[in-house]
Amino acid sequence: MTHIPLTRRDALSAWSDFLPTLVRYSSRRNHVEPLHHNVSRLSAALRYRLLLEDEVVSDTLRNYDFQNVEKWLQEICWRRYWKGWLEMRPDVWRNWHQRVQELNKDLPEVVMQRVLKVAAGESGVACMDAIARELIDTGYLHNHARMWWASFWIHVERLPWELGADVFFRHLLDADPASNTLSWRWVAGLQTPGKTYLVKQSNIEKYAPELLRNLTGSERIADGAVLPTVATEFAETSPQALPDYAATVPRSDRRIGLWMHEDDLLPEVGPLADLTPVAVTASLTAGSYALSEQHIGALDAVLADGLARAAAHFRCPTVLGEDSDPAASICKWASIHALDEVAAFAPTVGPVADLVPRLRPLLTSAGIKLTLIRRASDAHAFTLSGRGFFPFWEKMGNHLRLQGSVSAER
């Protein structure tokens, strides 16, 4: 089973081991190899902020010249770009979630049965079924395999992309609302209108020959056999203003509690580090998404790790809230501790952010303020994410080059 670090200690160790191999990353990253040692496997650690992108970038630029690791830095920054893009277009996430519910209710039985068979690795195309089984068994897939399987689902099986994205969201241990939703839209030709990604057998032969030991059904993905589906609609993606969040926690003698969630589990590093909470709580907010047992287990592990580190850093009581109604659980916890204010990292678009419109009025009605803080580096990256990735990277790359020059001078 692929080892996915789910504690900060393990993530730091895995990053330390991978850092010396970055010189080979650009040439090997697309190869889908057993155990995936050619990629970092840090996606879950970065998704839950057991490890910060800032830490990875800083370590990289201290050890390498920018031009030698630009592809690696691009891959690290894709996650923030996707998040920033979706922050300006939250309806894309809401429309996807609503569409999944509608499709599960309204799809013809014969189509839904095919959805279930393909998702279970029973499509009859051996290489694609091997990818599906790896997803189910390990909760992880190499990015190239994710693209192949998404393309197979959309353009070969002709199944709704929204339900394919739901399969990934439920099973992937690193499932990120922005990266997952927008990557599936890209494969479908919706993210960049008219530009689809088509799976090809020759591409799999080049990068994952092990997958083609069994050629059953492979004629369905032969070069030239896959034709793109035609997108029937294109969601409005005009950007709106980014939410206005605080950058720092104001010093106060008020009774403050810290709310931790799966969007950022590293309060001891950054703007919350000097907070003096009287209590800390963490909550699982994605319980309504029918997550796999393996995914729920990963969430339990990262939340437990975050709470343990918070207890050691802030030296105050910590508790894992009830996930049946996280908003009510947080409000009850705040009332028990007679809090004046609850502070938290600002969630990005997804299940945690969806909780805030219910949580805030509950706290307000109890006379408790909710303060959401955004890391400065996130705020900077998000402001650059209004258009495509390459305009984003032109500005972000220049920013990181400057950062690398400063590190070199030191």
Side-chain angles (χ1 to χ4, degrees), residues 317-328:
T318 63
V319 64
L320 180 63
E322 300 174 6
D323 62 3
S324 57
D325 189 346

Side-chain angles (χ1 to χ4, degrees), residues 47 86 93 96-97 169 175-178 181 259 261-263 284-289 291 295 299 326 347-357:
R47 185 266 178 270
L86 196 59
W93 162 261
W96 167 76
H97 185 44
F169 192 76
D176 176 270
T181 306
W259 167 40
H261 51 73
E262 59 259 37
D263 280 358
L284 172 63
T285 59
S288 64
Y289 287 80
L291 305 181
H295 190 169
L299 286 169
T348 49
V349 171
V352 183
D354 289 346
L355 180 69
V356 172

Side-chain angles (χ1 to χ4, degrees), residues 34-55:
L35 302 181
H36 306 296
H37 290 303
N38 56 320
V39 292
S40 71
R41 291 162 293 162
L42 290 171
S43 51
L46 291 168
R47 185 266 178 270
Y48 301 117
R49 287 278 170 85
L50 308 177
L51 182 66
L52 296 177
E53 293 96 332
D54 293 341
E55 294 177 298

